[in-house]
Amino acid sequence: MGFFVSGMDDREAIERVLSGDRDAFRHIVERYWRKVMAVVRQRISTAEDVEEVVQNVFLRAYQKIGQLRDVRVLAHWLYQIAQKCSVDYLRRKRHQAWTSSEEVCTILDEKEAENRKEDDMSFEIRDAVASLPTKYREVVMLRFIGGMSCDEVAEYLGEPAGTVRNRLFRANELLKMKLRNLFKGEK
Amino acid sequence: MDCREARRMIRRYLAGEGEKEIEKLKEHTAVCEKCNRFYEEALKMERIIADVLSPIKDSPTERIMRRIEDVRSLHRRWRRSIHFIIIIVFVATVVMFLTYLALSLVMPRIRVQREILLIRDGVSSYIRSGGVLPESETEAVWAVVKNEEWAQSERLDRERRQYLDPWGVPYRLLRQPDFWMIVSSGKNRRFEYGGGDDYAIKIPRLK
């Protein structure tokens, strides 16, 4: 598990970026893009829009990295930027997609309807995740898309790790039940 | 490790925890077909779901780094443009200032040379049309110029009945036995009878 790509830690990467080594920022991007994407995905639905916002997040982070006072809060700082960028983007584009964590997944756009024709399995999975209660869906998105650990999800949501673990377990059980037929067919 | 413990560990592992205990788990799944299948299915489901839900399938790192570079070079170009614009504005200002200086030196001379010719023509046609010029040197010029369109109103001194040159001194019509002469005192404002820096043009004596 995990998506770490090199031995360079965040502190070293940031120090190198600040000293002018632009390439060191690549390590931060590689390390956090999935998590940032999961945060962005909470509000924005289409792949193209998510990619654009993720790019905006890292661009802004690169430009403001000198303002980061404590390297230990890098992840939290990036999530904050991701939320701001998502809101800005939505405001700009006036998109009504997965507007908030309360309403996430309730809207299936035309693209997803097309997906249904093209790929039943993808549709069923999306549908299954969309039908989960919000609190389960949230942890599934952050865990599965972002690859965040329970502790990281807990920190992001401001919930106890035990609660997040239980929600994830429960969400897994629900998904397994909903997708039973699908995965039986896969075997 | 029993199956119950193994499944608890699998769930923890799939939740991104308990990576240190993976070796123990591997030992159990190697011998327990049921737990191994449980693990494989859970892992497969997670991967498929992650793949389906993930809006970005491949790493966007290169695209992000390219975008950062694009924005940086755009800023660099913008900064260079700003410097270029500042230099252009500075040079343009200097050129305009120098042009103004040059024109302010040259323009009165050009103007006085033109006006002297116009006054000469005016005097000629005034006399030919039977007019009688006043005796006063300055008033004679006034009589010719006062109704001309080219005359600049701010230099028409109606009170003293004079037409002033660009340096504020009245033009004069000097009448000599052999010729007449229209004179401007020039930049030094001193009347030198057509000598020094005076501007002057002679007219054959008119009757």
Side-chain angles (χ1 to χ4, degrees), chain B residues 5-119:
Chain B
E5 173 71 4
R7 291 186 183 201
R8 193 185 61 78
M9 279 178 63
I10 288 169
R11 284 191 202 105
R12 276 170 55 77
Y13 180 70
L14 291 175
E17 297 173 327
E19 285 190 39
K20 289 174 190 168
E21 298 159 339
I22 188 70
E23 290 306 320
K24 279 189 200 169
L25 184 62
K26 275 183 183 169
E27 282 172 21
H28 179 80
T29 52
V31 293
C32 177
E33 178 59 24
K34 246 178 155 180
C35 286
N36 191 43
R37 198 162 55 240
F38 177 82
Y39 170 68
E40 291 292 338
E41 279 176 6
L43 191 64
K44 186 177 165 188
M45 187 179 82
E46 181 174 318
R47 281 181 183 163
I48 290 174
I49 291 173
D51 187 54
V52 168
L53 294 182
S54 184
I56 305 173
K57 308 294 180 196
D58 56 333
S59 168
T61 307
E62 290 310 316
R63 295 191 290 276
I64 290 169
M65 296 308 290
R66 231 182 358 255
R67 174 125 179 246
I68 288 172
E69 187 51 43
D70 287 349
V71 171
R72 271 164 52 93
S73 60
L74 192 74
H75 282 182
R76 271 202 300 271
R77 275 205 300 274
W78 190 77
R79 273 202 298 273
R80 268 205 300 271
S81 305
I82 286 291
H83 290 160
F84 183 70
I85 288 168
I86 289 171
I87 289 168
I88 290 288
V89 168
F90 178 74
V91 168
T93 309
V94 168
V95 167
M96 281 167 68
F97 179 69
L98 291 177
T99 308
Y100 170 76
L101 270 185
L103 285 179
S104 63
L105 288 174
V106 170
M107 280 307 283
R109 294 172 192 198
I110 294 172
R111 194 169 290 160
V112 81
Q113 283 168 1
R114 179 171 164 268
E115 283 181 350
I116 277 184
L117 290 173
L118 291 167
I119 294 168

Side-chain angles (χ1 to χ4, degrees), chain A:
Chain A
M1 308 301 284
F3 300 94
F4 290 177
V5 290
S6 79
M8 193 193 297
D9 64 13
D10 291 348
R11 181 182 299 279
E12 191 187 345
I14 289 169
E15 278 169 4
R16 280 172 58 175
V17 172
L18 288 174
S19 65
D21 178 5
R22 186 178 53 83
D23 223 38
F25 194 71
R26 188 186 300 275
H27 295 273
I28 294 173
V29 176
E30 199 58 40
R31 200 168 289 174
Y32 287 103
W33 75 265
R34 282 180 188 277
K35 297 173 185 186
V36 167
M37 175 178 70
V39 173
V40 171
R41 187 73 166 102
Q42 299 277 316
R43 291 173 188 269
I44 297 181
S45 62
T46 58
E48 295 80 11
D49 293 344
V50 171
E51 163 105 22
E52 194 177 336
V53 176
V54 169
Q55 288 190 12
N56 291 346
V57 172
F58 284 104
L59 186 62
R60 202 178 286 185
Y62 180 81
Q63 289 166 335
K64 293 179 184 272
I65 201 158
Q67 296 174 10
L68 179 64
R69 294 277 167 247
D70 185 354
V71 71
R72 286 170 298 182
V73 297
L74 174 63
H76 184 66
W77 183 68
L78 285 172
Y79 302 153
Q80 277 185 329
I81 296 177
Q83 283 170 336
K84 272 185 203 160
C85 284
S86 305
V87 171
D88 289 349
Y89 192 80
L90 283 176
R91 199 175 289 150
R92 218 168 49 238
K93 290 200 87 178
R94 293 167 191 268
H95 265 198
Q96 184 67 39
W98 293 16
T99 48
S100 70
S101 53
E102 280 76 34
E103 296 171 35
V104 172
C105 303
T106 53
I107 301 164
L108 293 171
D109 58 14
E110 287 175 12
K111 204 167 180 183
E112 286 181 73
E114 276 173 30
N115 284 345
R116 182 172 197 174
K117 290 176 199 159
E118 289 167 12
D119 186 350
D120 279 348
M121 188 180 84
S122 297
F123 179 81
E124 276 188 49
I125 290 172
R126 283 167 197 272
D127 195 38
V129 174
S131 66
L132 288 175
T134 307
K135 59 181 182 180
Y136 295 146
R137 194 165 52 231
E138 232 171 24
V139 294
V140 164
M141 301 290 274
L142 293 170
R143 167 73 196 130
F144 286 4
I145 298 182
M148 292 187 193
S149 69
C150 272
D151 287 339
E152 286 172 320
V153 174
E155 196 187 331
Y156 173 72
L157 294 176
E159 303 269 9
T163 308
V164 170
R165 201 174 296 120
N166 287 337
R167 282 184 196 169
L168 189 61
F169 173 69
R170 185 73 192 125
N172 266 324
E173 294 298 309
L174 286 170
L175 282 176
K176 217 184 285 178
M177 234 156 55
K178 286 174 192 287
L179 301 173
R180 193 184 302 135
N181 293 334
L182 188 70
F183 285 103
K184 265 183 188 170
E186 281 284 304
K187 276 182 199 174

